[in-house]
């Protein structure tokens, strides 16, 4: 029995007994983000809830009659106008941050102008029982104020330290470096220093985003709305797309739910006939090469393309290359390009032996669940972190795309294909991720309904949220103890010198008496 059928039985056996109104706001223009939540929206609607979501990648599934999608796919145009990822790699970090925040502002503003969103804002009789918002561009959290209902924040990756801290959840920058940092495993002193510093930078950044998005809250919801930072501080629950096997082990409060571990995986579908034939025939092995949905292969330089093509030409394997162009002049016979491949179903084919990836979390999970070792070529965001985890855990190797040469690429590919240790390791870790009492999706569904049932999760609120920082870090207690110890040492030294002087006095007197 696959875990899909287990999930299906689970859903059947615990048919929900109530129907709630659920609003999900994910304004981020990135399929890899959206795809982490799509199964949740679908599942909640199948359980009889009325689910309304704002998304840039609607499912458009007419059988999901309880799911209303506010289609904001137009936001991709705004994103491409404001943010060119390949161009972004060239600008300074501060410019990059400004651009990302400003793009997030424009994107949310256009989405708030959507007639269906305007309807939600203006319709007096409209109500929702819970609002889920992605913690990237958080302006949508104001809907929780609008409908006076609990708020759940979620991320398609791990949360940042400041977000954990704001929930009162301990989070240690050395034990768990931010996902935007490449550090994995045991950190050296400078890495620890950078990790601590960077967590403050992230707090500053997340604060800037909230301030920028708050301008939209005031403009579209009303001037009487509390500051977005205040709205976010009332978050009932957090969903993070992590699991303790791939990500590091860390302490979690009961209101921080890990919904990671293949949540976005779809049920298997048969491959198109020609593709199936092609894969069946490639008994030598298949390498699947994709740089994901954010880094488009067409932006790669001629020189980089030549290295890829020449290397692939020398390999006795079939290469499936997800490439956003009609043709690729000079490619060898064994290379098949397409703008789109059914990636998850390709990974299920036993002839696929290697996945070359930019290191997106969702792609890594898809390969992992099908026991396929990987070569990571990270570009942006959390990719470097993910790829380093991959290498650290022994599931594959990494290459620097900008500097690698033909020899290095070929050698790395052959190492993975000829050394079975990577394949064994992937299988071992995948089995561990799958071995849990309920899937990440089931957990997210259960806890969403929990928040609805109890109108929030105030009772799970961490006491750390009400503690001033100096008390949390025991500064007053440590300070008091230091003072006591210093006073004691002072008294001791004074007493010793007093006793010394007394003794000296007695000695001098005795001496003079003797003389
Ligand atoms: C829609 O929700 C109702 C209950 O509100 C439920 O009976 C029905 O099965 C749901 N339909 C689908 C397609 O999920
Ligand atoms: C307002 O919301 C209610 C409840 O969802 C709905 O029944 C009604 O059709 C909405 N009105 C408009 C004008 O959209």
């Amino acid at each position: 029995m696959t875990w899909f059928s287990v999930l299906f039985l689970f859903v059947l056996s615990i048919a929900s007994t109530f129907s709630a109104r659920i609003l999900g706001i994910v304004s981020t223009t990135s399929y890899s983000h959206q795809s982490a939540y799509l199964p949740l929206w679908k599942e909640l609607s199948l359980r009889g809830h009325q689910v309304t979501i704002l998304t840039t990648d609607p499912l458009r599934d007419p059988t999901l009659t309880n799911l209303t999608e506010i289609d904001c796919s137009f936001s991709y145009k705004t994103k491409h106008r404001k943010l060119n990822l390949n161009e972004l790699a060239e600008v300074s970090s501060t410019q990059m941050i400004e651009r990302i925040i400003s793009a997030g502002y424009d994107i949310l503003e256009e989405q708030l102008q959507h007639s269906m969103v305007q309807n939600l804002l203006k319709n007096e009789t409209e109500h929702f029982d819970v609002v889920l918002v992605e913690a990237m561009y958080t302006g949508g959290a104001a809907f929780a104020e609008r409908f006076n209902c609990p708020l759940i924040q979620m991320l398609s990756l791990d949360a940042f330290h400041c977000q954990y801290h704001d929930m009162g959840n301990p989070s240690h920058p050395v034990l768990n470096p931010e996902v935007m940092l490449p550090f994995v495993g045991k950190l050296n002193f400078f890495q620890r220093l950078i990790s601590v510093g960077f967590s403050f930078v992230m707090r500053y950044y997340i604060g800037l985003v909230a301030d920028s998005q708050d301008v939209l809250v005031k403009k579209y919801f009303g001037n009487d709305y509390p500051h977005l930072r205040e709205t976010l501080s009332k978050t009932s629950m957090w969903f993070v797309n992590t699991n303790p096997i791939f990500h590091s082990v860390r302490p979690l409060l009961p209101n921080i739910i890990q919904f990671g571990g293949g949540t976005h995986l779809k049920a298997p579908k048969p491959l198109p006939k020609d593709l199936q034939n092609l894969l069946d025939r490639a008994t030598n092995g298949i390498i699947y090469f994709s740089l994901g949905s954010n880094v488009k292969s067409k932006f790669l330089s001629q020189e980089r393309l030549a290295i890829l093509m020449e290397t692939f030409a020398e390999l006795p394997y079939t290469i499936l290359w997800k490439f956003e162009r009609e043709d690729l002049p000079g490619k060898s016979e064994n290379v098949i390009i397409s703008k789109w491949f059914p990636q998850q179903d390709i990974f299920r084919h036993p002839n696929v032996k290697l996945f070359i990836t930019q290191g997106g979390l969702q792609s890594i999970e898809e390969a992992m669940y099908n026991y396929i070792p990987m070569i990571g070529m990270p570009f942006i965001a959390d990719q470097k972190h993910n790829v380093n985890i991959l290498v650290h855990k022994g599931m594959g190797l990494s290459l620097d795309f900008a500097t690698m040469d033909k020899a290095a690429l070929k050698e790395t590919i052959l190492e993975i294909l000829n050394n079975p240790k990577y394949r064994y390791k992937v299988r071992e870790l995948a089995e561990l991720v799958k071995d849990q009492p309920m899937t990440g999706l089931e957990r997210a569904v259960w806890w969403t309904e929990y928040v609805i049932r109890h109108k929030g999760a105030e009772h799970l609120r961490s006491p750390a949220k009400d503690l001033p920082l100096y008390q949390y870090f025991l500064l007053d207690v440590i300070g008091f103890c230091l003072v006591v110890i210093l006073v004691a040492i002072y008294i001791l030294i004074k007493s010793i010198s007093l006793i010394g002087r007394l003794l000296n006095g007695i000695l001098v007197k005795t001496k003079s008496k003797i003389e």
Side-chain angles (χ1 to χ4, degrees):
M1 206 155 60
T2 68
W3 70 278
F4 290 108
S5 46
V6 174
L7 173 64
F8 187 66
L9 286 179
F10 173 85
V11 171
L12 278 186
S13 64
I14 314 181
S16 71
T17 49
F18 67 103
S19 168
R21 295 182 59 79
I22 298 169
L23 179 64
I25 308 282
V26 183
S27 65
T28 311
T29 44
S30 166
Y31 181 69
S32 60
H33 282 249
Q34 299 282 348
S35 66
Y37 317 115
L38 292 175
L40 178 61
W41 310 139
K42 182 175 170 180
E43 208 51 53
L44 287 168
S45 82
L46 287 175
R47 287 172 63 80
H49 300 299
Q50 298 301 313
V51 182
T52 303
I53 57 162
L54 182 154
T55 176
T56 58
D57 297 80
L59 287 165
R60 297 195 184 96
D61 181 345
T63 65
L64 299 175
T65 47
N66 295 330
L67 179 65
T68 309
E69 294 181 300
I70 304 175
D71 179 352
C72 290
S73 44
F74 56 83
S75 295
Y76 276 104
K77 284 202 203 97
T78 315
K79 175 197 176 179
H80 290 138
R81 199 178 64 240
K82 301 274 299 187
L83 291 177
N84 175 335
L85 284 170
N86 297 62
E87 192 189 319
L88 269 190
E90 315 278 301
V91 303
S92 74
S93 329
T94 37
Q95 278 174 314
M96 177 145 98
I97 286 174
E98 274 169 20
R99 287 222 216 160
I100 292 175
I101 292 177
S102 134
Y105 182 96
D106 289 1
I107 287 168
L108 185 65
E109 171 147 46
E110 284 175 1
Q111 292 171 345
L112 289 173
Q113 288 165 355
H114 191 293
S115 62
M116 286 169 82
V117 180
Q118 283 297 311
N119 230 349
L120 292 182
L121 285 171
K122 295 193 179 128
N123 184 346
E124 291 294 331
T125 55
E126 190 64 273
H127 85 279
F128 284 94
D129 299 299
V130 67
V131 169
L132 294 99
V133 67
E134 190 186 39
M136 284 284 288
Y137 300 113
T138 38
F143 279 108
E145 290 289 332
R146 158 80 180 83
F147 297 116
N148 194 21
C149 68
L151 171 69
I152 297 176
Q153 287 196 74
M154 33 178 212
L155 259 186
S156 65
L157 26 119
D158 202 354
F160 299 106
H161 286 292
C162 60
Q163 293 169 325
Y164 278 113
H165 286 154
D166 288 348
M167 286 298 281
N169 193 90
S171 188
H172 198 287
V174 172
L175 297 177
N176 308 95
E178 299 279 28
V179 287
M180 296 298 164
L181 289 176
F183 310 149
V184 166
K186 227 173 144 82
L187 273 54
N188 65 32
F189 177 73
F190 287 103
Q191 290 173 331
R192 295 202 297 273
L193 200 63
I194 292 170
S195 200
V196 172
F198 191 76
S199 69
F200 284 100
V201 173
M202 280 313 297
R203 172 170 285 284
Y204 181 66
Y205 166 75
I206 299 278
L208 285 183
V209 174
D211 291 344
S212 155
Q213 299 265 300
D214 183 61
V215 177
L216 288 174
V217 173
K218 297 292 185 307
K219 192 167 163 188
Y220 287 87
F221 289 78
N223 271 320
D224 52 333
Y225 272 66
H227 193 286
L228 193 52
R229 292 186 192 229
E230 198 187 317
T231 304
L232 293 173
S233 78
K234 289 186 255 176
T235 301
S236 292
M237 197 154 282
W238 251 93
F239 293 167
V240 287
N241 189 16
T242 58
N243 69 73
I245 305 300
F246 186 78
H247 304 89
S248 41
V249 174
R250 69 188 305 161
L252 291 175
L253 288 171
N255 56 4
I256 313 257
I257 308 303
Q258 292 186 309
F259 74 104
T263 301
H264 73 291
L265 297 185
K266 298 189 189 102
K269 265 205 241 100
L271 289 165
K273 233 195 168 70
D274 48 344
L275 196 56
Q276 178 76 43
N277 287 340
L278 182 96
L279 296 188
D280 288 345
R281 266 185 283 121
T283 44
N284 255 357
I286 295 155
I287 299 173
Y288 183 75
F289 179 44
S290 164
L291 296 179
S293 50
N294 285 330
V295 185
K296 304 277 190 234
S297 312
K298 67 179 172 189
F299 293 118
L300 311 176
S301 71
Q302 274 310 319
E303 181 245 348
R304 294 287 101 189
L305 279 181
I307 289 179
L308 292 169
M309 283 194 292
E310 284 167 27
T311 312
F312 291 159
E314 289 174 16
L315 295 170
Y317 311 107
T318 303
I319 287 105
L320 299 185
W321 185 347
K322 180 177 169 286
F323 194 70
E324 282 77 16
R325 229 162 43 187
E326 298 301 334
D327 63 335
L328 180 59
K331 76 168 181 64
S332 49
E333 282 286 295
N334 62 336
V335 175
I336 287 111
I337 60 167
S338 172
K339 287 187 186 174
W340 185 82
F341 282 113
Q343 181 167 305
Q344 294 190 20
D345 291 308
I346 285 181
F347 284 158
R348 294 192 176 99
H349 198 284
N351 285 349
V352 179
K353 303 292 184 206
L354 166 65
F355 174 36
I356 306 181
T357 170
Q358 90 289 8
L361 187 54
Q362 273 76 21
S363 282
I364 290 179
E365 282 193 335
E366 288 169 21
M368 216 177 142
Y369 270 63
N370 292 291
Y371 315 133
I372 299 168
M374 287 157 263
I375 295 177
M377 297 179 176
F379 285 81
I380 49 156
D382 60 334
Q383 293 169 0
K384 204 160 174 114
H385 187 83
N386 296 336
V387 168
N388 285 353
I389 291 181
L390 194 80
V391 177
H392 181 71
K393 305 236 174 200
M395 294 189 286
L397 295 168
S398 72
L399 281 170
D400 181 359
F401 187 78
T403 58
M404 70 175 182
D405 57 14
K406 222 176 94 182
L409 178 58
K410 191 170 173 184
E411 190 188 340
T412 312
I413 290 175
L414 291 178
E415 161 70 10
I416 300 257
L417 284 162
N418 296 329
N419 191 338
K421 72 174 184 187
Y422 303 100
R423 189 168 276 264
Y424 292 152
K425 198 72 203 180
V426 177
R427 179 179 286 269
E428 179 191 324
L429 293 175
E431 292 302 338
L432 284 174
V433 179
K434 289 181 199 175
D435 195 4
Q436 45 177 336
M438 63 209 293
T439 66
L441 177 59
E442 287 162 5
R443 239 193 318 271
V445 167
W446 196 88
W447 284 100
T448 305
E449 292 183 342
Y450 178 94
V451 167
I452 297 168
R453 277 199 296 276
H454 302 288
K455 301 188 169 42
E458 191 59 21
H459 49 284
L460 295 180
R461 181 188 154 96
S462 165
K465 283 189 76 162
D466 304 318
L467 217 52
L469 272 186
Y470 76 90
Q471 288 185 19
Y472 181 84
F473 287 110
L474 306 175
L475 294 186
D476 50 347
V477 175
I478 294 171
F480 177 78
C481 293
L482 272 183
V483 169
V484 168
I485 291 168
L486 286 179
V487 168
I489 292 174
Y490 179 78
I491 291 174
L492 198 65
I493 291 173
K494 277 289 166 196
S495 323
I496 290 171
S497 80
L498 194 65
I499 292 168
R501 252 182 291 148
L502 280 177
L503 283 177
N504 211 10
I506 293 168
L507 271 179
V508 170
K509 263 188 214 156
T510 338
K511 220 175 168 188
S512 57
K513 254 187 204 163
I514 294 169
E515 278 169 4

